C-alpha cells in the first residue's frame, strides 16, 4: 500500500493507494496517529487509488472516525472505487463517513466549523 | 706447541658447547613458556576470562607493565578493547578505534609486527590509548593475531618492567604467543556464534510454542461456543459449518429456540484474529443470549448488545446478521449489523435478501439498529455466510466471489441444508485448489420445507 500525506492549512490529506488490509494497516496507523496526537482533527482521505479494504482496514477507518471525534474534528472521504464503496456499504460504514464525489467538496466539508 | 694447540681447541670446543647449552636452555625455556601459554589459553572459552588470560600471560611472559588485546570488528573493521590488565583496566573497556587508527590499527591493517622503543617520538602513535590508559607509554610491542589468514585482532604489551627496553627477541616471543592466542580466540568466536544460534533457536521455538498455544486457545473458545451443526423445528431445517483458518479469524454462528417457539439464528465475523477476537465473540454470544430472552426484536437485541460491548476507545467490532425465525410460517424479523448480504436460494433462482444496513456491533456506542421483515417460501433456503467464502483465494490470487456462491447455491438449491452447506464448502475448496485458507469460513443455511 502507498500512503501520501499532504497538508493544507490545518487539514491533512491522506492519499491511499493499493490494499488496506491486515498487513498494511499498521502503516496507515503509523502515519495517522502522530498527526492526530499533534492535534490535527480535520482529515480528507483520498481513496482514489485504493483497490481493496478489508475488515482490518475498516478498523483503521473507525479509529480515524473516533480519534477525530474526540478532537472535535471530522473525516471526509472521496474517490471510493466500486470495490471499496461496496465494502463501506455492506458494513454499514457509509452511515458514519461522509463520502463525496469530488476532492473540493471533501475539503470544504472537512474544513467546516 | 701441541699442548697449546689442544688447549685452544678445547677452549673453542668448550665455547661452542657452552653456546649450544645456552641455546638449548633458551629453546627449552621458550618451549616451556609456550607450553605454559598454551595451557593458560586453553583453560577457558568464555570471552572475558579468555581475554584476561591472554593479556595476563602476555604481560607476565614479556615482563611488561600492561598488556591489551584489541579485537577487530569483522563487520566494520573498527578495533575495540574488551578490557585490559593493569590497574586502569576499568577505564579502557569501551575504547573503539577507527580502522587504521593508531599503532594497533596500523598492525591490524598491515598484519606486520611493530616494536617501538620510544612511543612519544613515533608519529603513528595516536595518543588516544595512552591518554585513556593513564599510563605513560615508554615503549611497546604490537603483533597481529592471525587465524586462517584473517586478522582477529592485535596483541599489545606496554613498558618493559624495570625501565628496560623490549628487544627483537621479545618481539619474536610475543609473535609466538599470538599464535595460540589466535587459536583460542577463534574457538571463542565459534563458541559465541554457536551459543547465539542456540539462543535464537530457543527463542523462536518458545515464540512458536506460545503462538501455537494461543491459536489453540482461540480455536477452543471458538469451538466451545458453537451450538452444534444442525437443528430441526416444524417445517424448518437448519445446518451450519465453521472451518477455522490456521490463525483463527473470528467467525461464529449461533442458534437457539426462544420460549415463544421462534428460533434465533445469527452468524457473524469479528474484525480481528486470534485470542482477542475469540474473547470478543464469546462476549457477544453471551450478551445475545441474555438480551434475546425478553421478547425483543432483532434490532432491539442488537442495540442492547451493542450498548454493552461498544466503547469509544476501542475499534474491535463484529459484523453480524441476526434473525428471529418462525418455523411454522417461514416468516422472520431480521437485523443486519454490517454483515455480508444474506442470499435466498430456490430452484427458480438466487436472490439477495434486502436489508437495512446498520453498523457492526461494537463500532459505535450510539449506533441505531433497524428491523427488517421477510419470509421464506416453501422450498426456499436462507443462506448466511462470511467473507471467508467470497474472498477465498485460488493459487492465482483470484477470489471465489459472491457470483460463484450464487451459482453454487443455484446448482444445489433442492438439497437439504446439511448437503447444501457441505457442497458449497466443497466447491470453495476445489476453487482454492490447495491454497491455504487465510480466513475462517462459516455458512448457515435455513430451509423452509415444501
Amino acid at each position: 500500500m502507498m500512503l501520501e500525506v499532504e497538508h493544507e492549512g490545518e487539514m491533512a490529506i491522506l492519499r491511499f493507494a493499493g490494499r488496506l488490509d491486515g498487513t498494511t494497516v499498521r502503516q496507515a496507523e503509523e502515519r495517522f496517529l502522530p498527526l492526530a496526537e499533534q492535534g490535527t482533527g480535520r482529515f480528507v482521505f483520498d481513496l482514489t487509488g485504493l483497490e481493496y479494504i478489508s475488515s482490518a482496514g475498516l478498523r483503521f477507518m473507525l479509529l480515524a472516525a473516533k480519534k477525530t471525534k474526540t478532537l472535535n474534528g471530522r473525516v471526509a472521504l472521496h474517490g471510493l472505487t466500486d470495490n471499496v464503496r461496496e465494502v463501506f456499504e455492506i458494513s454499514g460504514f457509509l452511515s458514519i463517513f461522509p463520502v463525496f464525489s469530488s476532492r473540493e467538496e471533501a475539503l470544504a466539508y472537512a474544513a467546516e466549523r | 706447541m701441541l699442548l697449546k694447540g689442544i688447549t685452544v681447541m678445547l677452549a673453542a670446543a668448550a665455547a661452542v658447547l657452552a653456546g649450544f647449552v645456552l641455546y638449548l636452555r633458551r629453546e627449552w625455556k621458550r618451549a616451556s613458556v609456550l607450553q605454559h601459554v598454551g595451557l593458560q589459553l586453553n583453560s577457558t572459552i568464555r570471552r572475558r576470562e579468555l581475554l584476561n588470560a591472554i593479556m595476563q600471560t602476555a604481560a607476565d611472559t614479556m615482563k611488561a607493565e600492561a598488556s591489551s588485546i584489541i579485537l577487530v570488528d569483522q563487520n566494520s573493521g573498527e578495533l575495540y578493547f574488551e578490557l585490559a590488565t593493569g590497574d586502569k583496566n576499568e577505564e579502557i573497556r569501551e575504547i573503539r578505534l577507527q580502522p587504521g587508527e593508531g599503532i594497533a590499527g596500523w598492525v591490524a591493517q598491515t598484519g606486520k609486527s611493530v616494536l617501538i622503543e620510544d612511543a612519544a617520538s613515533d608519529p603513528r602513535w595516536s595518543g588516544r590509548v595512552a591518554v585513556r590508559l593513564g599510563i605513560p607509554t615508554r615503549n611497546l610491542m604490537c603483533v597481529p593475531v592471525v587465524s586462517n589468514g584473517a586478522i582477529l585482532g592485535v596483541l599489545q604489551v606496554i613498558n618493559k618492567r624495570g625501565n628496560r627496553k623490549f628487544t627483537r627477541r621479545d618481539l619474536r616471543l610475543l609473535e609466538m604467543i599470538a599464535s595460540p592466542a589466535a587459536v583460542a580466540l577463534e574457538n571463542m568466536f565459534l563458541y559465541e556464534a554457536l551459543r547465539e544460534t542456540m539462543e535464537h533457536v530457543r527463542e523462536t521455538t518458545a515464540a512458536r510454542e506460545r503462538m501455537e498455544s494461543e491459536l489453540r486457545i482461540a480455536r477452543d473458545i471458538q469451538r466451545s461456543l458453537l451450538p452444534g451443526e444442525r437443528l430441526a423445528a416444524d417445517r424448518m431445517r437448519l445446518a451450519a459449518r465453521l472451518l477455522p483458518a490456521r490463525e483463527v479469524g473470528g467467525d461464529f454462528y449461533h442458534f437457539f429456540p426462544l420460549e415463544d417457539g421462534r428460533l434465533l439464528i445469527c452468524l457473524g465475523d469479528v474484525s480481528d484474529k486470534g485470542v482477542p477476537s475469540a474473547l470478543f465473540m464469546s462476549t457477544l454470544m453471551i450478551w445475545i443470549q441474555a438480551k434475546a430472552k425478553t421478547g425483543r426484536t432483532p434490532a432491539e437485541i442488537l442495540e442492547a448488545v451493542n450498548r454493552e460491548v461498544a466503547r469509544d476507545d476501542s475499534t474491535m467490532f463484529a459484523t453480524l446478521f441476526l434473525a428471529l425465525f418462525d418455523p411454522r410460517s417461514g416468516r422472520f424479523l431480521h437485523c443486519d449489523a454490517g454483515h455480508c448480504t444474506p442470499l435466498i436460494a430456490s430452484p427458480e433462482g438466487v436472490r439477495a435478501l434486502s436489508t437495512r444496513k446498520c453498523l457492526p456491533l461494537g463500532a459505535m456506542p450510539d449506533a441505531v439498529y433497524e428491523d427488517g421483515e421477510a419470509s421464506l417460501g416453501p422450498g426456499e433456503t436462507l443462506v448466511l455466510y462470511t467473507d471467508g467464502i467470497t474472498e477465498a483465494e485460488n493459487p492465482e490470487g483470484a477470489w471465489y466471489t459472491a457470483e460463484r456462491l450464487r451459482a453454487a447455491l443455484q446448482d444445489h438449491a433442492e438439497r437439504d441444508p446439511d448437503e447444501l452447506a457441505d457442497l458449497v464448502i466443497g466447491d470453495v475448496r476445489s476453487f482454492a485448489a490447495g491454497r491455504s485458507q487465510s480466513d475462517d469460513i462459516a455458512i448457515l443455511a435455513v430451509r423452509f420445507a415444501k
Side-chain angles (χ1 to χ4, degrees):
Chain A
M1 187 196 61
M2 291 268 292
L3 179 54
E4 284 171 22
V5 181
E6 191 187 306
H7 294 274
E8 196 162 309
E10 49 180 328
M11 235 184 307
I13 300 158
L14 271 60
R15 250 196 308 277
F16 294 78
R19 297 167 60 89
L20 184 59
D21 57 22
T23 54
T24 57
V25 75
R26 263 189 78 98
Q27 203 184 323
E29 285 175 9
E30 279 166 10
R31 300 296 291 275
F32 170 80
L33 285 174
L35 292 170
E37 263 143 39
Q38 286 158 24
T40 305
R42 292 169 186 275
F43 288 88
V44 169
F45 289 178
D46 176 353
L47 307 185
T48 314
L50 193 65
E51 295 153 14
Y52 171 75
I53 184 164
S54 74
S55 64
L58 287 181
R59 284 184 73 183
F60 167 76
M61 292 293 165
L62 191 57
L63 173 79
K66 289 188 170 181
K67 279 278 174 200
T68 49
K69 199 176 162 192
T70 62
L71 294 163
N72 283 323
R74 27 174 65 176
V75 185
L77 310 184
H78 81 95
L80 279 69
T81 57
D82 288 349
N83 280 341
V84 171
R85 176 177 287 276
E86 199 189 335
V87 175
F88 270 84
E89 202 174 296
I90 287 176
S91 63
F93 271 48
L94 281 184
S95 68
I96 43 173
F97 287 99
V99 175
F100 298 93
S101 47
S102 76
R103 179 187 155 97
E104 288 64 38
E105 288 171 281
L107 284 170
Y109 173 85
E112 230 172 78
R113 292 282 161 184
Chain B
M1 185 65 192
L2 184 66
L3 195 66
K4 194 181 180 189
I6 288 170
T7 309
V8 168
M9 272 173 69
L10 275 176
V16 167
L17 196 63
F20 186 62
V21 166
L22 197 67
Y23 168 77
L24 276 181
R25 188 182 290 160
R26 233 186 248 140
E27 279 305 294
W28 177 80
K29 195 180 171 202
R30 177 175 284 183
S32 77
V33 162
L34 287 176
Q35 195 190 8
H36 177 71
V37 167
L39 282 175
Q40 290 289 304
L41 300 190
N42 281 326
S43 65
T44 181
I45 205 161
R46 294 179 192 285
R47 178 174 282 246
R48 181 137 304 164
E49 288 168 21
L50 176 65
L51 297 179
N52 251 333
I54 292 174
M55 291 184 287
Q56 195 65 55
T57 306
D60 290 351
T61 311
M62 304 316 306
K63 297 183 171 53
E65 283 175 13
S67 155
S68 46
I69 176 101
I70 300 154
L71 298 178
V72 175
D73 184 328
Q74 300 295 332
N75 295 320
S76 66
E78 286 179 340
L79 289 89
Y80 60 101
F81 288 45
E82 288 286 307
L83 51 94
T85 55
D87 9 274
K88 304 283 181 180
N89 61 353
E90 290 300 316
E91 287 170 40
I92 63 160
R93 206 166 265 167
E94 304 260 326
I95 294 179
R96 270 192 172 247
L97 300 174
Q98 290 306 304
E101 186 182 345
I103 293 189
W106 188 86
V107 170
Q109 224 164 40
T110 60
K112 290 177 182 156
S113 301
V114 167
L115 165 60
I116 291 171
E117 295 188 356
D118 184 5
S121 68
D122 195 302
R124 288 174 300 185
W125 185 244
S126 72
R128 181 175 175 170
V129 178
V131 170
R132 295 288 288 266
L133 261 171
I135 302 173
T137 306
R138 290 181 284 106
N139 49 41
L140 84 156
M141 297 193 296
C142 191
V143 300
V145 179
V146 185
S147 175
N148 294 325
I151 297 178
L152 304 179
V154 301
L155 179 58
Q156 179 178 280
V157 291
I158 298 167
N159 298 349
K160 188 148 183 170
R161 284 182 214 139
N163 221 2
R164 284 158 50 197
K165 287 184 175 178
F166 291 118
T167 63
R168 286 273 137 203
R169 189 176 293 143
D170 287 334
L171 189 65
R172 280 196 299 279
L173 186 57
L174 188 61
E175 282 171 347
M176 284 181 183
I177 294 173
S179 171
V183 174
L185 282 177
E186 186 76 63
N187 288 339
M188 178 193 82
F189 287 133
L190 287 174
Y191 168 73
E192 285 179 347
L194 179 73
R195 212 176 45 178
E196 204 170 296
T197 308
M198 296 288 291
E199 184 65 13
H200 180 69
V201 168
R202 203 186 56 74
E203 273 170 14
T204 51
T205 309
R208 201 174 52 231
E209 275 169 6
R210 206 158 46 235
M211 210 177 76
E212 294 283 345
S213 87
E214 275 192 21
L215 288 175
R216 230 181 355 258
I217 292 166
R219 203 166 293 166
D220 286 350
I221 295 173
Q222 190 181 35
R223 197 181 298 132
S224 69
L225 293 170
L226 300 179
E229 289 195 327
R230 59 191 59 83
L231 184 80
D234 290 295
R235 292 172 66 186
M236 201 201 81
R237 297 281 176 280
L238 175 154
R241 300 285 184 275
L242 194 151
L243 282 79
R246 202 185 113 74
E247 191 184 355
V248 176
D251 286 8
F252 62 97
Y253 63 79
H254 205 10
F255 52 79
F256 53 90
L258 299 175
E259 280 174 12
D260 61 7
R262 284 187 303 170
L263 209 81
L264 181 147
I265 61 171
C266 69
L267 181 138
D269 183 356
V270 181
S271 69
D272 202 352
K273 296 185 178 206
V275 174
S277 108
L279 290 174
F280 190 71
M281 83 171 76
S282 68
T283 308
L284 279 182
M285 286 172 78
I286 290 162
W287 279 122
I288 287 169
Q289 198 136 2
K291 303 291 183 187
K293 284 183 176 163
T294 46
R296 291 185 169 101
T297 69
E300 287 165 353
I301 293 169
L302 294 189
E303 210 162 296
V305 171
N306 186 60
R307 270 199 300 272
E308 301 291 349
V309 300
R311 299 208 325 254
D312 278 325
D313 57 353
S314 164
T315 60
M316 176 88 85
F317 64 79
T319 68
L320 177 107
F321 178 86
L322 186 144
L324 294 179
F325 202 94
D326 184 340
R328 295 170 296 264
S329 67
R331 296 180 64 79
F332 60 99
L333 282 175
H334 58 82
C335 184
D336 180 354
H339 195 70
C340 305
T341 308
L343 299 170
I344 294 173
S346 74
E348 287 72 47
V350 176
R351 65 177 199 274
L353 175 70
S354 152
T355 65
R356 285 180 191 278
K357 284 292 176 186
C358 305
L359 277 174
L361 290 173
M364 287 285 179
D366 53 0
V368 175
Y369 293 87
E370 287 180 76
D371 286 311
E373 194 174 354
S375 67
L376 289 184
E380 284 190 325
T381 306
L382 172 71
V383 179
L384 314 179
Y385 56 94
T386 57
D387 57 9
I389 288 182
T390 50
E391 296 184 7
E393 284 182 323
N394 70 4
E396 287 75 46
W399 281 355
Y400 183 75
T401 69
E403 284 64 45
R404 275 199 188 78
L405 175 60
R406 281 168 170 256
L409 293 175
Q410 173 84 65
D411 288 348
H412 308 301
E414 298 270 26
R415 306 286 193 136
D416 76 52
D418 262 303
E419 290 173 324
L420 182 67
D422 288 336
L423 285 163
V424 168
I425 283 173
D427 196 48
V428 172
R429 285 230 160 124
S430 73
F431 172 82
R435 175 147 181 167
S436 73
Q437 187 189 331
S438 65
D439 198 1
D440 290 356
I441 285 176
I443 183 169
L444 188 152
V446 182
R447 183 173 160 93
F448 190 60
K450 279 180 183 165

